[in-house]
Amino acid sequence: MGGFSIWHWLVVGILVLLLFGKGKFSGMMGDVAKGIKEFKKGMAEEDEAEKPAAKIEAPAAPASDAEKQSDKQA
């Protein structure tokens, strides 16, 4: 006995719709879609958190007193 044919899947689909009803089935699929979206959003946020922060260069230190005196003498 090979795989399932299209007719097998069609019968299974009709039975699922009869058991759960159209409203419940579409609601369930909507919940699954929301779950997938939330999962992708969480993965994207995790990737952003792993990126290293940009380096911020410190401003130049003020000149020391010795450097100021040598500048005045020149």
Side-chain angles (χ1 to χ4, degrees):
M1 199 154 151
F4 290 105
S5 70
I6 188 71
W7 296 109
H8 290 106
W9 290 114
L10 188 61
V11 169
V12 169
I14 291 171
L15 288 174
V16 167
L17 285 175
L18 288 174
L19 290 174
F20 293 110
K22 185 178 178 184
K24 287 184 182 180
F25 187 72
S26 63
M28 188 170 47
M29 288 296 106
D31 291 341
V32 169
K34 286 179 187 177
I36 291 171
K37 286 179 185 179
E38 288 296 319
F39 177 76
K40 287 182 179 179
K41 183 179 176 183
M43 292 299 291
E45 289 174 357
E46 183 178 302
D47 288 344
E48 289 175 5
E50 291 178 0
K51 291 181 183 176
K55 280 190 172 181
I56 299 174
E57 294 184 19
S64 67
D65 291 335
E67 290 176 355
K68 287 180 184 177
Q69 288 178 358
S70 66
D71 288 341
K72 287 181 182 177
Q73 291 175 357

